[in-house]
Amino acid sequence: MTEDQNPSGRFASIRTWTLILVLGGFVALFLIHFAIVWKSVVNLPSDDEWALLRDPDTLSLRWIWVQHNEHRIVTTKFLIWLLYHWDGWNLQTNVLINFIIFGVTLAWLIWVAKKLSPRLPLWAILGFTVFMLSPILWMNHLIGLQVCFHFWLLFFLISTYFLFGPIQNWQRLVIGGLAAAASLYSLGTGLSSVPIVFLLFCLFKLFRAYFANNKEERVREVRQLGLTAAIVVGSTALWMVGFYAPNKRGLAWPYELAFWRQLLNLVSLAFGVEVISTALGAICLLIVIAPVLWQVWKQRGQLTPQQWTSYATVIGILATLASIAAGRAPFGIGWSKVSRYAEIGMPLIILSALNWNWVLQKRKTGATIALLGLWCFCFVGFFDNWSFDRYWQRAANRRIGAICVKAYYQQGGQGRCANLWRDPLAIELNVAKSLNASFYQEASSQIQRETEATASHQIPAKPALVGVLDVANCQIIGGWASQGPRSKSIESVDIYDGDKLIQTVTADTFRHDVYNAGMGAYFSGFQIPTPPGLKDSKPHSIRARFAETTKDLRATPKTITCAP
């Protein structure tokens, strides 16, 4: 009988080719994303990474344990410590390793999903996992420090798989307990997920002890619970040593509406929804918890180890999102759509597919319709989240920031690099210099090459004060002032309302455009908020003058009339 005459053989061939195509597409998308990250990353610290350079003991062994904001990111700091001793902590290397670890996390999630639900085709699991390759996670991919999210998720998934697995031997439970401890020391979210999962594990072991066939099995279950408790409780107690709470805005509690708005929008972010919508968040939460509640009620708590694993993971993730909602709700609903938090909830997509498949396993058509509907729902949610423009924009911005860093090492000052951080970076850049960090090495090498290239034919320029009052309106007053493009001095500017001195401001903000035009130094910009005293519905003549001189900046004066 030929394959055309054998329907089962034809269907097997279709399934095989479907798997090959889906797997090939998944791997190709992963490699494309990796290549874009490779092209987009710049060897400079980002965001919270600057905070790592404020500690005098940065990159020492003691520093690995030091609390970072509300987190203990021991695993991430240990990786950075290794990279520092390898290549001076090159941030490009850090980000690439970061993405590789993310790939390992995805591979583990896919493997676990297949182990938990062997009947669910691998191509279907890949079809749901593909949403985790969306650029919605751009922040966790372009900032090396964000590897803490990958570490937390990877160790969390490993812990639930080994703790609740069908094989309950000592070795697997030790691995599960240590993985739980590792997730705890990877991100502050572990302080929510680990205790919840441990409480569920206690319930799991007590159920097994209650239904054990004999006393020997019952004693073994209790002893295994004691061993796991020693690992998890001990690591949690150690985590709390010396801990302080930096959140000064307090917490939102479950009886507050702000908490639920934040939580529901965090859940919907995991499904690709970036608009603020409590209704969509409620739908997403229902998709996640409905199959869990149904199976627990239907089976009267007599769950299989596979179900325990999946449900414990779901509850642990929801508890983690709840802790984020409690901490971030006081900062505003916008924090529910921050890129970094999407990764925490995104495994709920794959787990929901498994859980709905279990609910409808005796209704093949119903299961197919449910899974197809879930996939279409996710497809719509992620439809507008596949643009990589954020990567290119950030890369361009960071390259300008690299010029600012180089200018600081040439010119000094306070290191006001608005492209990199909102506050002056002089302290952090000096620490990087003392550490001979990789990005400092690159900047100093470039400075040396430029100095050698221009030293032979450079003609000293005669100092001349130049500057422009760029803007004066009801929001800001700003411009630039300098002694020329190669000047290393920082000018001060007096701001006047007519003949009345309002304020003296230092022109030490990075102005890449001014330098490129050959008009002034890198650090020559200034900007202040328009003083409230000028907002009286009367016209005011704004003048800018070089401090301690009678020379006005160009484009002076400017007249403004601002309502109170």
Side-chain angles (χ1 to χ4, degrees):
M1 182 181 293
T2 64
E3 185 178 284
D4 292 338
Q5 296 172 321
N6 185 353
S8 62
R10 184 166 63 253
F11 290 144
S13 178
I14 292 174
R15 287 194 296 268
T16 300
W17 279 106
T18 300
L19 174 60
I20 292 174
L21 290 174
V22 173
L23 180 60
F26 183 87
V27 172
L29 182 57
F30 177 85
L31 293 177
I32 290 171
H33 204 148
F34 180 80
I36 292 173
V37 170
W38 191 326
K39 292 291 185 180
S40 303
V41 65
V42 176
N43 184 22
L44 274 179
S46 300
D47 301 36
D48 285 348
E49 287 174 335
W50 290 109
L52 298 180
L53 292 170
R54 295 183 194 133
D55 190 330
D57 294 328
T58 292
L59 295 171
S60 67
L61 286 174
R62 187 202 67 83
W63 166 83
I64 295 175
W65 171 259
V66 172
Q67 180 179 335
H68 176 74
N69 294 332
E70 66 270 27
H71 309 282
R72 291 202 190 277
I73 51 173
V74 175
T75 52
T76 296
K77 284 189 171 183
F78 182 68
L79 173 62
I80 292 174
W81 181 82
L82 290 176
L83 290 174
Y84 171 67
H85 288 280
W86 180 23
D87 61 2
W89 187 26
N90 187 300
L91 276 302
Q92 291 174 311
T93 305
N94 194 167
V95 168
L96 297 180
I97 292 176
N98 182 353
F99 200 82
I100 292 171
I101 293 173
F102 176 69
V104 172
T105 304
L106 291 185
W108 178 263
L109 181 59
I110 294 167
W111 184 81
V112 168
K114 187 60 180 173
K115 294 287 287 186
L116 295 180
S117 185
R119 292 185 179 182
L120 193 62
L122 180 58
W123 59 265
I125 296 173
L126 290 169
F128 286 101
T129 311
V130 73
F131 296 112
M132 293 191 69
L133 291 176
S134 164
I136 198 173
L137 293 179
W138 68 270
M139 186 176 288
N140 289 358
H141 296 324
L142 288 184
I143 302 175
L145 184 66
Q146 299 302 105
V147 72
C148 58
F149 281 82
H150 304 334
F151 276 138
W152 170 82
L153 181 57
L154 177 60
F155 290 126
F156 172 67
L157 295 173
I158 292 174
S159 69
T160 55
Y161 177 76
F162 281 99
L163 289 177
F164 296 94
I167 302 174
Q168 289 285 295
N169 58 37
W170 297 96
Q171 295 89 338
R172 293 173 69 87
L173 292 180
V174 168
I175 293 174
L178 292 177
S183 71
L184 182 67
Y185 285 92
S186 294
L187 195 64
T189 52
L191 199 61
S192 304
S193 59
V194 170
I196 290 295
V197 167
F198 176 68
L199 290 176
L200 292 173
F201 178 72
C202 292
L203 190 61
F204 171 69
K205 296 300 280 185
L206 291 175
F207 264 102
R208 287 176 61 91
Y210 181 79
F211 291 104
N213 296 321
N214 52 58
K215 182 179 179 181
E216 182 180 350
E217 290 184 4
R218 191 172 297 113
V219 170
R220 184 177 69 250
E221 296 293 340
V222 174
R223 286 179 176 174
Q224 289 178 341
L225 175 57
L227 170 67
T228 309
I231 297 174
V232 175
V233 175
S235 59
T236 304
L238 182 62
W239 191 97
M240 296 299 297
V241 174
F243 175 78
Y244 62 93
N247 186 352
K248 297 182 180 180
R249 295 199 185 187
L251 300 173
W253 298 99
Y255 58 79
E256 299 179 57
L257 180 60
F259 168 85
W260 287 102
R261 287 192 67 209
Q262 197 84 6
L263 174 60
L264 292 175
N265 278 283
L266 282 167
V267 173
S268 66
L269 179 65
F271 285 80
V273 180
E274 290 191 292
V275 297
I276 304 294
S277 172
T278 303
L280 285 174
I283 293 172
C284 294
L285 183 61
L286 185 63
I287 290 172
V288 173
I289 65 172
V292 177
L293 296 177
W294 174 261
Q295 286 295 88
V296 172
W297 176 81
K298 182 181 178 181
Q299 298 176 209
R300 301 297 188 270
Q302 298 294 307
L303 306 176
T304 65
Q306 290 81 2
Q307 289 173 322
W308 271 103
T309 301
S310 180
Y311 300 164
T313 306
V314 167
I315 295 171
I317 289 174
L318 290 177
T320 301
L321 293 176
S323 69
I324 295 172
R328 290 305 185 187
F331 291 85
I333 191 64
W335 278 88
S336 65
K337 300 302 180 181
V338 175
S339 168
R340 70 183 73 177
Y341 299 135
E343 183 174 345
I344 291 175
M346 288 177 82
L348 293 174
I349 297 174
I350 298 96
L351 295 169
S352 296
L354 299 184
N355 297 339
W356 280 107
N357 190 56
W358 283 330
V359 168
L360 301 168
Q361 59 184 338
K362 295 182 179 179
R363 301 176 182 178
K364 188 173 182 180
T365 302
T368 301
I369 293 174
L371 293 179
L372 182 59
L374 176 59
W375 191 89
C376 290
F377 180 83
C378 295
F379 178 82
V380 173
F382 283 94
F383 184 76
D384 59 348
N385 288 319
W386 292 99
S387 172
F388 289 91
D389 286 348
R390 299 177 196 178
Y391 289 73
W392 310 128
Q393 292 167 1
R394 184 175 176 84
N397 204 38
R398 306 286 297 164
R399 291 188 182 103
I400 294 176
I403 297 173
C404 182
V405 168
K406 185 191 73 171
Y408 171 80
Y409 287 126
Q410 285 178 302
Q411 187 176 340
Q414 297 187 51
R416 294 186 182 274
C417 301
N419 301 77
L420 299 178
W421 193 239
R422 59 180 177 268
D423 299 322
L425 293 172
I427 295 175
E428 293 84 350
L429 293 173
N430 287 335
V431 170
K433 180 178 180 180
S434 66
L435 292 169
N436 197 31
S438 175
F439 71 88
Y440 166 73
Q441 295 178 33
E442 290 184 1
S444 58
S445 296
Q446 188 175 358
I447 291 170
Q448 183 176 357
R449 289 195 301 270
E450 291 177 357
T451 301
E452 292 174 351
T454 59
S456 58
H457 58 271
Q458 180 175 338
I459 300 174
K462 186 176 181 180
L465 296 175
V466 288
V468 176
L469 178 63
D470 286 330
V471 58
N473 56 37
C474 297
Q475 287 76 44
I476 60 171
I477 299 172
W480 63 272
S482 176
Q483 288 190 26
R486 292 188 175 85
S487 173
K488 293 187 178 182
S489 63
I490 303 295
E491 299 301 320
S492 294
V493 175
D494 292 335
I495 309 296
Y496 287 86
D497 171 19
D499 294 325
K500 179 183 177 182
L501 178 64
I502 302 173
Q503 185 176 339
T504 299
V505 59
T506 303
D508 60 353
T509 302
F510 182 63
R511 286 292 299 262
H512 184 234
D513 55 334
V514 172
Y515 183 86
N516 278 356
M519 301 169 68
Y522 274 124
F523 293 102
S524 58
F526 65 90
Q527 181 174 294
I528 62 170
T530 301
L534 301 181
K535 300 178 181 180
D536 55 6
S537 299
K538 298 178 181 179
H540 293 271
S541 179
I542 306 301
R543 294 191 301 114
R545 173 177 293 179
F546 288 95
E548 300 181 357
T549 74
T550 58
K551 182 173 182 178
D552 288 345
L553 274 62
R554 285 185 291 174
T556 295
K558 294 183 185 295
T559 302
I560 62 173
T561 304
C562 302

